[in-house]
Structure formats: C-alpha cells, structure tokens
Amino acid sequence: MYIQSVDIDGFKSYAQRVSLQSFDQSFNAITGLNGSGKSNILDAICFVLGIKNLSQVRATNLQELVYKQGQAGTTKATVSITWHNDDPENGPSGYEDKEYITITRQIVIGGRNKYLINGHAAQENRITDLFHSVQLNVNNPHFLIMQGCITKVLNMKPPEILSLLEEAAGTRMYEKKKDAAVKTLDKKQSRLDQIDSVLQCDIVPSLELLRQQCGQYNEWAKLSSRAEQLKRIIVAYDFCECLKRAEEASKEVAAYKQKLDALQSERGRNQADLDDVEGLVQALLTEVELQAGGETLELQARVDKLAMELTRGTTTWRSKCDTLASEQATLEGLQTALQELSDQDHEAKVTRSMEARTEAQAALEAAEGSVSAAQREVAGAEAGDGRDESNRSLQERLADAQTEATHADSEAKAADVRAKHLAKQLAEQQKVLNSKQQDAGSLQKELAHQQAVVDKSTKKLQSLAFDEAAHNALEEAREAQALEVRQAREAVDRLSQDVAGWCDFRYSPPDASFDKSRVHGVLARWVQVN
C-alpha cells in the first residue's frame, strides 16, 4: 500500500486547496525554494497519520495548524490522503476489497477534530489500528528521522533497536493492545472484588435478614389465623354459657318472686296488726282520760311520747317496706342483667340482694319489736308503772328508740343510694342484654330458616325417584343427539356456503307502507329437486 495522492486545504501555508498526485511507490523527494512549503507537506501527512507530538510538526496546539490560525477567514484545515491498496493480503484488515482507501482528518477553529475513512466518520483509535496493521506508527520516536539524527540511530542501544524492529514488524500495536487489555482486566477485577465485597458485607446479610423476616411473617400469619379461629370458638362458647346462665337466672328470679310474694303477704299481716295496735292504743288513751285525773295527765304525756315513739317506729317500718318494694322492682329488672354477668359477679349481686332482704327483714322485725315494746309500755301505763319488762325507765326507752330511729334513717338513705346505683347499672346491662338478645334472635331466625330450607330440600330429594342407570342412559342419549345436531348444522352451513349466491336474499323496503309478508324469499328455496 502506498500514497496515491495528497489533498491539502487550509493547512498551515496552504490557504487554497492543493492536490499532489503521482507519488512513486518506493522513493519520493520534495524540492523547492526556502519557504515554499516543502516541510508542510510532510507535516500534513503526519497530521493525517495521527501524530501526538505536535513539536515534530512545529506547532504547540492544533489551532496553529489552520492557515494563519483562522485570522485570514479560513476556519478549518483539511488533509486527505488516498492510499493505493495494491497488495490486499498485506494491506489493512477489513479493507481487502477496497482498491483505494481515502483517509481524511479535519480540524475546526473551536476544537472540533474528526476523521473520515472513504467519506464515513471514524474514531481516532480505528485510524490508529488501521495504520498499525501496516506498520505505520507516526508516534514512534524513530518513525521520522530528521536532519542530524542519523548518528543517533546508528548509536542505538539494543532495547531501542528492539523497539524499532517491533515497530517495523507491526508487533508493537499488539503489545500496546495487550497492555491496555491487562489494565482493563485489572480494573474489571478490582470492580469484581468490590462487587464481591458489597455482596458479602451488605447484600447477603440483608438477604438473610429478609429471609428471617419472611419466615417470621409467615409464622405470624399462621398464628393470627389460628388466634382468629380460637377467638370465634371462644365467642361461640361464651354465647352458649350465657344462654345457660340466663336459664339459671330465670329459675332464680322465679324463686325470688315466690319469696317476695311471701314477704308481701307477711307485710300485709304486719300492717293489719299495726292497725289493730293503733286502735287499741287510741281506746286505751280514751279510757285513761276518763278514769284518771292529774295522774292521767302525766300518763297522757307518757302516752303521747309513746305515741310519738310508735309513730316514728311506724314511719321507719313503712320506709323499710317502701325500700323493700323498690328493691323488689330492682330485683325484677336484674333478671335480664344476670345473663351478661360472670358467675362471680352474679353470686356477688345475689349476696348483696340477700343482705338487703335480710336488712329489710331485720328492720321489719325491729319495727315489730318497737310495736311490741309500745304495747308493753301501754300495758305498763295502764298498770300505773312507767317501766317495761327489762326494768328500764320510759326516758331510757325513748332515747334508745330515738337512736334506733336515727340509725334506721341512715340505713334507709344508704339503701336509696345503693338502689339508684343498681338501677343505673341495671339500665346499662339491660341495653347490652337487649342488643345481645336481638343478635341471638336474628341468628336463631336465620338458623331456623336455613334449617327449614335444608329440611325442605332433603324431603324433595327423598321424594324424587332417582335412578342413576336411567340418568346415565339419558345423558348418553343427549350427547348422541347433540352430536347429530352439530353434524346437521355443519352440513347446513356447508350447503349454505355452496348456494350462498342463489339463496342469500337481502332487500330494503321501498317505502314505509310496504308489506313485508308478501316477500317469501328467493325462488330456489321453493323448488324441490327429486
């Protein structure tokens, strides 16, 4: 491969395009006057070959290679070299089918630098590899031997001579590629080591942690599902237990009602006895007034005190009876609240109710005792003695009665407070119980409805005379008939396609009053061929 022609445009001293032709294959010499641009031709060839050391072309930067550095209107420098590839076997690889190879390099003021191969843009390394493949390395220090360098070449040391031979043989290019490949491998290996380090230090531990978290989440999901199932079982069990406790509470309420009826009857009897005692006291007072004088007045005063004592005791007794009635109403309301209470709360409230009943009964007994004591005092007054059977004076008995009355009042107030608290609690429990009863009623209705549907379906199923063998035979017959129908439809479709041109008839009514029933179709449908 040798130079066929060189075209220079805007390079150094060549402002206008200059084309040099007819280069010799073996030896060429450029002669001329000083300053005629002989060296610039060699600089242009080195410029295309991709020289790096610009001092060899007498320039410090690429901008100086443009004619007058672009100040004369020329803003770019272009050099094209046409090579004659007369020996394709020893020529550049990849261009064996090209007889001429034109390589162009162009620089523009502003820094743009580009290469062209046969008019197509190419990278600088591609140009370098092309020249290296034919042993042309312009950047080799011994590629250009300038004046005064012959002695230096003759005095070269063995390593320098080896380098010169490698350049001449074309192996230097492969050595450089080998060094570049080794550097690239070293960079890739360091990057691989870094990636392995990241994998071992960051990604693998994170992956293990994610696996553990995934296992923990799966375990949590299983436990949550099991907990939800157990929760439903517990709710069903609690519902059944509440139903049982409701039945037991109903029985206890019935027993309390019987006891309350007995207390009410006893209260009626006590009220009758009290009325009798009051009538007797009134009669005795009247008799004492008639029989006695001054002593009668004293006894009257005592009798008045005893009457006051009796009235106070009667009031206390009546208040206790009212408290008993209110507690009876509270007890009737508690019969629904007992369904939602636990066994321990139920027993505690029952105990409190029994204590209240015991207190009311004790108050009733105390009132009866007061009445009896009043009767005894009246009897003592009739006898003329102010002492009772326990040999206590009237003043002592009055003081004791007043103390008992005060204590009874405080107990009545406390009982009222407890009754209000129990009534409030009973109202809350009644609301909860009503909601539960509504839910239970709806569930029972739904269950009964579904059970009725199941029973009805079961009866219908049992009433049907189902024969499995006959059913299978009917199924087989149905499938056979369906197959025949499909075959007949396919035959009809085939025939329709065959006679589509004669039997397919579509039309539009000529007007709105047209009678469509008068159109019976094409004539082919009404002709039968035997």
Side-chain angles (χ1 to χ4, degrees), residues 151-170:
T151 305
K152 183 178 178 181
V153 173
L154 294 176
N155 295 329
M156 281 184 179
K157 296 180 180 180
E160 295 175 347
I161 295 173
L162 178 62
S163 176
L164 181 62
L165 293 176
E166 288 178 351
E167 287 291 343

Side-chain angles (χ1 to χ4, degrees), residues 356-489:
R357 186 181 63 80
T358 304
E359 291 176 359
Q361 188 173 1
L364 181 61
E365 292 176 356
E368 292 176 352
S370 299
V371 171
S372 299
Q375 290 177 354
R376 287 194 297 271
E377 288 179 0
V378 170
E382 291 176 353
D385 188 2
R387 295 182 178 273
D388 59 359
E389 295 178 355
S390 61
N391 197 19
R392 291 187 302 170
S393 64
L394 182 61
Q395 289 78 8
E396 293 175 352
R397 291 195 301 275
L398 289 174
D400 293 340
Q402 187 175 4
T403 301
E404 291 178 358
T406 304
H407 181 65
D409 290 337
S410 63
E411 287 183 353
K413 292 179 180 179
D416 291 337
V417 173
R418 288 197 303 273
K420 291 179 180 179
H421 178 69
L422 289 174
K424 184 178 180 180
Q425 186 177 5
L426 177 60
E428 295 176 355
Q429 296 296 330
Q430 182 67 31
K431 292 180 180 179
V432 176
L433 179 61
N434 291 334
S435 63
K436 294 294 183 181
Q437 286 180 348
Q438 291 177 358
D439 295 340
S442 62
L443 290 174
Q444 287 179 355
K445 291 180 180 179
E446 182 66 21
L447 179 61
H449 177 67
Q450 296 297 333
Q451 186 65 37
V453 172
V454 170
D455 295 339
K456 185 177 180 180
S457 300
T458 304
K459 291 179 180 179
K460 288 183 178 180
L461 184 62
Q462 292 176 355
S463 63
L464 294 176
F466 180 73
D467 188 357
E468 185 175 1
H471 175 71
N472 294 331
L474 290 174
E475 285 291 334
E476 293 177 356
R478 185 182 64 82
E479 292 178 357
Q481 292 177 358
L483 179 60
E484 293 177 357
V485 170
R486 286 197 299 271
Q487 293 176 353
R489 287 180 177 175

Side-chain angles (χ1 to χ4, degrees), residues 68 70 79 100 149 161 168 192 202 221 225 232 249 257 279 323 333 339 356 381 397 400 407 423 491:
K68 292 185 179 182
V79 179
Y100 295 97
C149 295
I161 295 173
L192 286 175
D202 297 335
S225 177
R232 293 179 180 178
K257 284 184 177 180
T323 301
Q339 297 179 0
R397 291 195 301 275
D400 293 340
H407 181 65

